[in-house]
Amino acid sequence: MNFIYPLLAILGENFGKVTEKLAFKKTNITPPQDIFLSFIIMFVGVLIVITTFGHKIPKLSIGLFVLVVVMVIVSYLQNIFEAKGLKAKDLSFREPITDIKPVLISFLAFILFPSEREIKYIIGIILGSIILYFGNRALKQKLNIDKGTIYTIMAVIFSAILANIYKLGLETIPADFLFLFRTGGILILLLLLGKINFSHLQKRGALYALTSGLLYLIGSLASLYSIQYLGLNFTIMLMLLGPVLIYFLSYVVLKEKIPPRRIITSILLMIVVLGITFK
């Protein structure tokens, strides 16, 4: 039953990413507007989950409170850079850069958590990332370091840090409350920074943002439950299959051209992940 969590995480987060990209591509929505609207949906959604299942709020020590504050700040930076990167670059351009994220997550987890040092999963993550990198990399394309590229690189770094903060927080805080603290904290931070103005926002842009928020709610909560029950490295290895879905959605929804080598990459990646997972 626990294996449904990484599957939902892959579907929710990648469909959410494509919907968010559509918002930037087809409407005048700005990154702060997009983040605020999507996080409202996520915050309300996780509140419904908590009240429905009758969970009690955990007691936070000073150490846990500091951890939550750090998580909110890191998550805010990750979301800002992620949204700006999505607005500036096609999904297919971003994939070669984001392929390094699983290795960064696994490297930090190996250092921080003895339970995350199972060699076969680490090998699978490294091998899968190598396959993704060479499959995504255009043979004669140079990496142009512009603002969109820098935003994407920063988002990857903060995302890797955030995943390990999740792992640390989940040792004492339930997944749903950790997500509640994260989403609520970011909403408060956005309001305090005063970057929210909806006067010129198109209705379609708001609808895209709310829809992506619902999809991210499913994906992010499922990802947290997967880390909690299956471990961080195991979850990350399974989520290496996410780019396969991105290729498909980029082609079908966003009409981006997908080179044949990426189809081959997808097949190789599925073989590696499924082979190591069910060995």
Side-chain angles (χ1 to χ4, degrees), residues 14 17-22 82 85-86 88-98 136 246-247 249-250 254 256 258 262:
N14 286 286
K17 192 177 295 183
V18 171
T19 306
E20 191 175 10
K21 178 61 182 177
L22 281 171
E82 179 77 12
L86 273 175
K89 295 292 184 182
D90 287 344
L91 286 179
S92 54
F93 175 90
R94 297 174 72 258
E95 289 308 309
I97 302 172
T98 58
N136 284 330
I246 284 290
Y247 301 153
L249 294 175
S250 296
L254 300 175
E256 297 177 6
I258 307 299
R262 291 187 180 171

Side-chain angles (χ1 to χ4, degrees), residues 130-141:
I130 291 172
I131 291 172
L132 277 172
Y133 175 77
F134 284 103
N136 284 330
R137 179 175 167 267
L139 297 179
K140 296 183 179 180
Q141 183 185 28

Side-chain angles (χ1 to χ4, degrees), residues 50 97-98 103 124 150 182 188 232 245 249 259 270 277:
I50 290 171
I97 302 172
T98 58
V103 176
I150 293 173
R182 176 200 168 204
I188 292 171
L232 181 55
L245 183 60
L249 294 175
M270 291 178 70
T277 303

Side-chain angles (χ1 to χ4, degrees), residues 192-211:
L192 289 176
L193 293 173
K195 292 187 176 182
I196 308 301
N197 185 342
F198 296 105
S199 59
H200 300 293
L201 177 62
Q202 297 170 333
K203 291 182 179 180
R204 187 169 61 164
L207 181 60
Y208 275 127
L210 294 172
T211 303

Side-chain angles (χ1 to χ4, degrees), residues 41 180 227 274:
I41 290 294
L180 179 73
I227 293 171
L274 295 176

